Amino acid sequence: MTHTLTDSEFYRVLSCQRRRLAIEFLWDAAAPTPLSTVADAVAAVEAGVDPAPRAVRESVATSLRQTHVPTLERHGLVVDRDEGLCATPAAKHVVRRIRDTGPFGLRWSEQYRAIGVLGLCSVVAALAGIPLFAAVDPLLPAIVALAAYAGSSAYHAWTLYPRGARSPRGTAVEEEWHPTSA
């Protein structure tokens, strides 16, 4: 099944740290990886020691094999091939949301900070009369920086939700939620 995860599916599937670690590891591996290798990596993170103790590695391998990998497969994020486990192209969106990264691999906060710092430096350089910037009205770099910030914010908001669910309420926009009375 390869569909875009709704927000509720995203949070339900990735509510478990082992699944988050496994999908990130498989995405970074970019090649078929044996379950034992994935289990070793996840166990090392959980134990805080590399290599993790044998009992931890075995526990992680068992839970991945029996529960977590089938869940990731069912949601189209992982495929189990003869050569090993692979992240699917659908996992890209999930990993980007887990890591909170934008299209350039930067965290959104880093991207916004870079736009702000570059915009501020450009305005100050134009006001200070630094060559190349002196010929530009200081209002121009301010407008460009604000436009970049607005465009980046719009893109961030656009990619935050799956294509079929542009609302935080998902696809059931017409249904209103009312708390039950006590």
Side-chain angles (χ1 to χ4, degrees):
M1 176 164 140
T2 57
H3 72 282
T4 303
L5 295 175
T6 63
D7 279 349
S8 62
E9 288 173 323
F10 175 83
Y11 292 116
R12 188 174 347 105
V13 169
L14 298 170
S15 63
C16 177
Q17 181 186 15
R18 283 187 181 170
R19 284 195 285 259
R20 289 191 307 271
L21 292 171
I23 192 72
E24 281 190 277
F25 180 82
L26 288 169
W27 180 256
D28 290 340
T33 307
L35 178 68
S36 60
T37 304
V38 177
D40 289 347
V42 171
V45 171
E46 285 185 5
V49 167
D50 192 13
R54 181 175 171 218
V56 175
R57 289 194 320 262
E58 289 175 357
S59 171
V60 170
T62 301
S63 71
L64 285 174
R65 185 180 325 102
Q66 294 178 353
T67 305
H68 304 306
V69 169
T71 299
L72 294 171
E73 281 183 304
R74 204 170 34 254
H75 287 87
L77 300 173
V78 169
V79 291
D80 191 359
R81 298 189 177 137
D82 293 336
E83 315 87 51
L85 299 170
C86 289
T88 65
K92 178 181 182 179
H93 179 72
V94 172
V95 171
R96 281 180 56 189
R97 282 187 67 185
I98 290 171
R99 295 178 177 168
D100 192 33
T101 56
F104 304 114
L106 293 173
R107 296 184 69 77
W108 284 106
S109 59
E110 294 168 344
Q111 186 171 326
Y112 293 134
R113 186 178 311 117
I115 292 169
V117 168
L118 288 173
L120 177 64
C121 290
S122 299
V123 169
V124 170
L127 288 171
I130 294 177
L132 294 177
F133 289 96
V136 176
D137 182 12
L139 190 57
L140 182 63
I143 291 171
V144 169
L146 287 173
Y149 189 85
S152 183
S153 297
Y155 181 76
H156 186 185
W158 178 256
T159 60
L160 197 56
Y161 299 108
R163 293 276 180 237
R166 289 288 171 216
S167 161
R169 293 187 284 171
T171 55
V173 173
E174 62 278 348
E175 296 177 20
E176 289 294 324
W177 177 80
H178 299 286
T180 55
S181 55

